């Protein structure tokens, strides 16, 4: 199949284009500045911007499937308000959908985010929710995937955790986190997610479905933080940072150009956990997915097998 991956040069896109290429698809990775870093030779790079319809028409013209991975990161980008998120996520998706429909594609696959909700609490979540609405309303076969936070090589998640400490407690072994880091995530490994996205491209049973996807463990930000620092042989004590103080700190940092702002502050109060894990729709078993501590090298894949033998 001819598959155009908008945002194919980003973190998930690089892994996904590699998987699609391995499966024998003809893959085009589309972005504003495609540089090819980390992509197999078989993947064709094309320049396109979802805010510029004309730039999308030629790359999408002969596609069978379009996948939308274009995003403003919820973690590291400055707080651009509703307008910036709406421009990239909702209007960008609508423009890409329109071009895809005109090209007569068979399917549009949208990589959304867990909790996407037009009435949600952050600019990112609201814009992702509006984009999902646009995909459902479009006259094209679609699949919407809503993962929790994604970890893996090239991703921002582990780095983000460390950056938070640089903000709140540089150089000391305590780590003040908003609310004590009680909010929970269900991190999924990119190596587990990507085959599901690739299946969504071809398997007919996924048409018109929206899937919530999470990893095998629900972890609080406090637990995640401890694991990240443990994996580097460091020990930190997580202590609660009063929300008011965190809000002021993040807002000030955002306003002076540090890549974090009030949207990130709000994200730090929210759980990001599936209501029901849909990984089974892709033949995966939740408990078989890669745990975050295993990715960090703190446990090995053999631990479970050893326990089973011991039992
Ligand atoms: N990473 C996670 O933890 C996570 C969790 C849940 C959902 N998601 C969703 O998964 C998708 C991919 O995330 P990711 O982490 O791989 O993001 P990423 O690494 O930031 O990649 C974003 C991609 O979009 C491209 N892009 C940005 N603006 C564009 C524009 N105006 N026109 C065309 N391309 C543009 C970027 O390339 P250029 O800058 O060169 O244009 C890049 O290739 C997103 O929809 C995100 O919301 C991610």
């Amino acid at each position: 199949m001819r598959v155009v991956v908008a945002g194919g040069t980003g973190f998930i896109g690089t892994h996904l284009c590699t998987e699609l290429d391995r499966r024998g698809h003809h893959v085009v990775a589309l972005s504003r500045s495609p540089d090819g870093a980390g992509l197999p030779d078989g993947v064709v790079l094309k320049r396109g911007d979802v805010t510029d319809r004309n730039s999308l028409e030629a790359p999408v013209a002969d596609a069978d499937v379009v996948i939308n991975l274009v995003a403003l990161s919820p973690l590291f980008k400055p707080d651009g308000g509703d307008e910036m998120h709406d421009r990239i996520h909702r209007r960008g998706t609508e423009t890409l959908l329109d071009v895809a429909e005109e090209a007569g594609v068979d399917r549009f696959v949208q990589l959304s985010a867990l909790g996407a909700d037009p009435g949600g609490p952050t600019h990112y979540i609201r814009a992702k929710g509006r984009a999902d609405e646009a995909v459902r309303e479009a006259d094209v076969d679609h699949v919407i995937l809503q993962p929790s936070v994604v970890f893996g090589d090239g991703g921002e998640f582990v780095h983000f955790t460390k950056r938070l400490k640089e903000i709140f407690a540089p150089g000391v072994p305590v780590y003040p986190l908003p609310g004590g880091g009680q909010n929970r995530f269900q991190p999924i490994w990119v190596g587990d997610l990507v085959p599901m996205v690739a299946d969504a491209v071809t398997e007919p049973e996924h048409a018109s479905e929206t899937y919530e996807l999470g990893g095998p463990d629900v972890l609080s930000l406090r637990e995640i933080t401890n694991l990240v620092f443990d994996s580097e042989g460091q020990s930190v004590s997580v202590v609660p940072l009063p929300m008011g103080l965190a809000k002021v700190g993040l807002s000030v940092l955002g306003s002076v150009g540090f890549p974090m702002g009030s949207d990130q502050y709000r994200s730090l109060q929210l759980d990001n956990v599936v209501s029901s894990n849909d990984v089974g729709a892709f033949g995966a078993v939740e408990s078989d997915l890669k745990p975050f501590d295993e990715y960090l090298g703190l446990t090995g894949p053999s631990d479970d097998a050893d326990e089973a033998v011991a039992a």
Side-chain angles (χ1 to χ4, degrees):
M1 271 188 184
R2 287 162 300 184
V3 185
V4 171
V5 185
T9 58
F11 161 48
I12 298 171
T14 304
H15 290 270
L16 178 62
C17 288
T18 304
E19 174 67 9
L20 293 168
D21 180 68
R22 191 189 65 75
R23 293 188 183 198
H25 297 295
H26 178 269
V27 184
V28 172
L30 184 87
S31 72
R32 291 166 304 173
S33 324
D35 59 10
L39 285 170
D41 290 344
V43 175
V44 176
L45 300 171
K46 295 209 173 158
R47 199 171 299 277
D49 183 335
V50 295
T51 65
D52 173 10
R53 194 184 194 286
N54 290 341
S55 72
L56 303 174
E57 285 172 358
V60 172
D62 61 353
D64 298 309
V65 174
V66 170
I67 307 178
N68 184 19
L69 305 182
V70 172
L72 292 174
S73 165
L75 299 182
F76 269 121
K77 298 292 188 293
D79 188 0
D82 257 339
E83 161 54 26
M84 186 170 81
H85 282 272
D86 198 60
R87 188 162 63 87
I88 302 300
H89 292 122
R90 180 187 62 80
R91 278 189 270 152
T93 299
E94 285 176 354
T95 303
L96 190 60
L97 269 168
D98 197 40
V99 173
E101 276 186 75
E102 200 167 282
V105 304
D106 297 326
R107 180 169 282 186
F108 189 94
V109 177
Q110 172 80 351
L111 202 58
S112 178
L114 191 59
D117 175 358
T122 67
H123 303 306
Y124 173 75
I125 281 298
R126 283 194 288 278
K128 294 295 275 186
R130 291 184 201 121
D132 289 0
E133 280 185 340
V135 173
R136 290 191 190 99
E137 284 164 12
D139 194 17
V140 62
D141 180 15
H142 68 265
V143 186
I144 299 174
L145 303 165
Q146 299 181 327
S148 183
V149 67
V150 183
F151 63 90
D153 295 353
E156 292 177 337
F157 185 50
V158 170
H159 185 46
F160 170 77
T161 309
K162 289 192 263 181
R163 285 294 286 276
L164 280 182
K165 180 164 181 339
E166 286 169 26
I167 298 171
F168 293 127
V172 290
V174 293
Y175 192 155
L177 276 175
Q182 294 304 313
N183 60 318
R184 299 168 310 141
F185 295 89
Q186 196 164 352
I188 183 166
W189 181 46
V190 69
D192 288 323
L193 174 67
V194 149
M196 300 179 200
V197 186
D199 287 352
V201 167
T202 49
E203 293 177 357
E205 65 268 28
H206 301 307
S208 307
E209 296 288 352
T210 297
Y211 296 115
E212 293 190 2
L213 304 171
D217 299 315
V218 173
L219 299 168
S220 67
L221 186 56
R222 179 195 187 108
E223 290 170 313
I224 289 166
T225 302
N226 282 326
L227 290 171
V228 167
F229 283 90
D230 273 2
S231 73
E232 299 192 339
Q234 296 178 46
S235 168
V236 291
S237 288
V238 174
V239 296
L241 174 72
M243 279 295 183
L245 207 56
K247 186 173 184 179
V248 171
L250 288 173
S251 301
V252 169
L253 287 163
S255 68
V256 297
F258 192 93
M260 196 171 273
S262 56
D263 222 38
Q264 286 77 14
Y265 152 74
R266 281 187 286 272
S267 301
L268 291 178
Q269 301 171 80
L270 302 171
D271 281 344
N272 200 245
V273 174
V274 300
S275 49
S276 74
N277 204 343
D278 294 321
V279 296
F282 299 92
V285 176
E286 185 184 271
S287 58
D288 289 346
L289 302 178
K290 190 188 279 289
F292 187 56
D293 56 358
E294 185 184 310
Y295 170 73
L296 293 173
L298 292 166
T299 59
S302 57
D303 286 3
D304 287 348
D306 292 346
E307 280 165 25
V309 170

